[in-house]
Amino acid sequence: MRGGRAVSPARRGMTDRRLVLFVGILFAAAALAAVIAVYAWRGNGAIASIGGPFALVDQDGRERTDRDFHGRYALIYFGYAFCPDVCPTALSDMMVALDELGPRQDRIQPVFVTIDPERDTPERLKSFVAEFDPRLIGLSGSPAQITAAAKAYRVYYAKAEDPEAGPDYLMNHSSVIYLIDPRGRYVTHFNHGTAPDRIAERLLEELS
């Protein structure tokens, strides 16, 4: 009972699905953080390859490659528009962190890359990114293009196994914000739950 009213089995089932998804994402984020740590720093202290070339399409239907973002820093997040809570939270935190930078935020381009191209068409992404900030660029593409981009960034994603979900399926995925420098090189990343002020603090260190 909640507030004197019974919770319907359907609503309870959706809540359970979201809880399982959230726990799965937290485990995926922890595993990905360990993988990134291995790839990002080797014994000699050199930065390994995280990120790299990609060819996708933005929310306005324009072809975009990684080179379009050279010359500025980029904050890149992989998720999907139908995500019930994790992705909106991460994107909101990212935009709040940028707002805390004041005028310096113009040196950083926020980017959202879908891991669900089946549903996240450019048209869908156009309305989705508009809910957060006009500065946010949304990128989609063919399944092969998304797979290649995700692989370059060591992103884990997979459709959640739920035969009853139908078109309302959920996606298991890592939840990480990547900071890429003006030459397209990985700088650092922020795990899910990193506070916006901590993100802003690290960004200011890099911009200074």
Side-chain angles (χ1 to χ4, degrees):
M1 301 285 285
R2 291 185 181 177
R5 293 184 298 175
V7 179
S8 70
R11 186 176 181 84
R12 187 183 308 114
M14 177 58 72
T15 300
D16 291 343
R17 286 175 58 206
R18 290 185 175 182
L19 177 60
V20 171
L21 176 67
F22 182 73
V23 172
I25 286 175
L26 290 182
F27 276 113
L32 181 66
V35 171
I36 289 176
V38 172
Y39 275 99
W41 297 100
R42 297 292 175 83
N44 60 2
I47 296 179
S49 176
I50 291 180
F54 60 76
L56 299 169
V57 178
D58 70 15
Q59 70 266 32
D60 295 315
R62 294 178 297 183
E63 293 184 359
R64 294 278 195 158
T65 73
D66 57 294
R67 298 187 66 84
D68 291 330
F69 305 105
H70 289 188
R72 301 172 68 189
Y73 285 90
L75 278 177
I76 302 178
Y77 181 81
F78 287 76
Y80 67 114
F82 289 85
C83 185
D85 39 37
V86 173
C87 300
T89 298
L91 290 175
S92 294
D93 288 347
M94 187 165 74
M95 302 315 300
V96 169
L98 286 179
D99 285 339
E100 292 185 14
L101 302 183
R104 297 187 186 185
Q105 65 186 271
D106 293 338
R107 296 173 58 188
I108 303 177
Q109 175 62 58
V111 180
F112 173 80
V113 182
T114 183
I115 45 85
D116 184 22
E118 181 179 340
R119 294 180 295 185
D120 287 349
T121 62
E123 293 76 16
R124 176 69 183 96
L125 287 184
K126 189 176 184 68
S127 60
F128 177 72
V129 297
E131 296 174 4
F132 294 92
D133 196 282
R135 297 167 294 177
L136 183 60
I137 292 177
L139 298 177
S140 185
S142 69
Q145 289 173 317
I146 296 301
T147 296
K151 183 177 180 181
Y153 282 84
R154 319 294 175 188
V155 171
Y156 163 78
Y157 70 96
K159 186 180 293 187
E161 295 183 6
D162 184 352
E164 298 181 359
D168 297 324
Y169 60 85
L170 299 175
M171 298 288 291
N172 293 318
H173 65 98
S174 49
S175 182
V176 174
I177 299 171
Y178 298 90
L179 176 62
I180 305 300
D181 77 9
R183 288 193 282 180
R185 302 178 305 179
Y186 167 87
V187 176
T188 190
H189 67 278
F190 305 98
N191 293 327
H192 186 76
T194 302
D197 58 347
R198 177 65 189 110
I199 297 175
E201 179 182 341
R202 179 64 182 87
L203 295 178
L204 285 173
E205 291 175 0
E206 185 64 27
L207 294 173
S208 299

